[in-house]
Amino acid sequence: SEEAGLTFASLAEDALADEKGCIHSSIFPHLHALPPVPVVAVAVGIILHAPFSFLYHWHYACKLAPGYARIDHWSRRLDHSFIHVISACMSYGTSGSWDYFLANLMFNADCIYRQFKPRVRPRMNKIRILISIIAYTIPILRRGETVLFCELWAIFALCGWLFAKYPIGGYSHSAFHAVIALAPPLLMQAACHLLASKEQIQVAARCAVLAGK
Ligand SMILES: [Zn+2]
């Protein structure tokens, strides 16, 4: 009925945003407005990869014998593919440019396509991940955010060392994952500094003031 339609519309409005773009949510009282798209892009990349990383590490990486059987497995290939999904998303998160995202998307899509070729090429896979990370961190350097760029690369260098050299034995790979978890907050900072994020941050600030917080 019309009445039910109206009620649903007002409910949806309540849950999403009002005409000023403000969110009034009792579950997330500090979420005054939707986050800027570049920040969402960083989150989306991480969220999409997480289930495949879990599936591989939590189940198959423990069950499969080390070596070719493990890296050849479909769960490892999917984990790898979604690392490239992260890289593609990050390229928008650090640049705020759809053109730059498109270029990165094409490169990462090619990397994903190669994950489904019969032969696994571990060295080439690592080089391609490295290129994809360089590509999404370069916009940060170009904008002159040198400190943020160096912080990210200090993290990636430490991760590379833990991943390749196993300096603390069996703990090395877990340490690698713990250290790489430091990168997304920094990437979100980079996303917040973009011109593409400015307007939505101002909306959120206005909403916070209106809400009296
Ligand atoms: Zn791992």
Side-chain angles (χ1 to χ4, degrees), residues 90-114:
M90 291 304 178
S91 72
Y92 184 76
T94 57
S95 72
S97 154
W98 290 111
D99 290 346
Y100 193 67
F101 169 69
L102 196 66
N104 279 268
L105 183 66
M106 288 193 291
F107 172 72
N108 284 290
D110 180 59
C111 297
I112 292 171
Y113 160 72
R114 280 158 201 267

Side-chain angles (χ1 to χ4, degrees), residues 161-169 172:
W161 179 63
L162 288 165
F163 187 90
K165 301 283 179 207
Y166 273 74
I168 45 171
S172 302

Side-chain angles (χ1 to χ4, degrees), residues 53 56-57 76 79 163 173 176-177:
S53 182
Y56 170 67
H57 286 87
R76 175 68 186 126
D79 179 31
F163 187 90
H173 194 77
F176 156 81
H177 278 277

Side-chain angles (χ1 to χ4, degrees), residues 12-212:
E13 210 170 86
D14 236 41
L16 292 166
D18 65 15
E19 70 281 357
K20 294 189 200 73
C22 301
I23 292 173
H24 312 279
S25 164
S26 49
I27 307 166
F28 303 108
H30 298 289
L31 185 70
H32 297 298
L34 288 173
V37 181
V39 175
V40 174
V42 172
V44 165
I46 304 288
I47 291 165
L48 289 177
H49 170 247
F52 300 98
S53 182
F54 254 88
L55 184 68
Y56 170 67
H57 286 87
W58 183 56
H59 187 64
Y60 291 107
C62 304
K63 223 175 73 174
L64 298 163
Y68 198 79
R70 197 183 282 174
I71 59 167
D72 183 45
H73 197 258
W74 60 266
S75 63
R76 175 68 186 126
R77 289 167 184 261
L78 272 176
D79 179 31
H80 229 117
S81 299
F82 276 83
I83 289 172
H84 285 289
V85 171
I86 296 185
S87 293
C89 292
M90 291 304 178
S91 72
Y92 184 76
T94 57
S95 72
S97 154
W98 290 111
D99 290 346
Y100 193 67
F101 169 69
L102 196 66
N104 279 268
L105 183 66
M106 288 193 291
F107 172 72
N108 284 290
D110 180 59
C111 297
I112 292 171
Y113 160 72
R114 280 158 201 267
Q115 282 301 317
F116 296 94
K117 290 196 162 190
R119 199 176 132 227
V120 189
R121 305 182 64 184
R123 197 179 137 77
M124 189 43 74
N125 287 343
K126 282 186 210 97
I127 292 170
R128 280 175 169 267
I129 286 183
L130 184 66
I131 292 171
S132 77
I133 299 175
I134 291 170
Y136 74 68
T137 50
I138 276 182
I140 301 172
L141 188 64
R142 265 197 72 197
R143 275 198 311 281
E145 297 187 83
T146 318
V147 174
L148 195 54
F149 179 84
C150 291
E151 283 171 349
L152 278 165
W153 276 99
I155 292 169
F156 293 139
L158 182 57
C159 285
W161 179 63
L162 288 165
F163 187 90
K165 301 283 179 207
Y166 273 74
I168 45 171
Y171 292 107
S172 302
H173 194 77
S174 302
F176 156 81
H177 278 277
V179 174
I180 208 156
L182 299 172
L186 295 178
L187 290 160
M188 286 214 172
Q189 268 183 43
C192 287
H193 298 161
L194 294 174
L195 203 62
S197 298
K198 203 176 162 188
E199 197 182 327
Q200 195 55 23
I201 290 174
Q202 282 171 345
V203 169
R206 223 175 294 136
C207 297
V209 170
L210 287 172

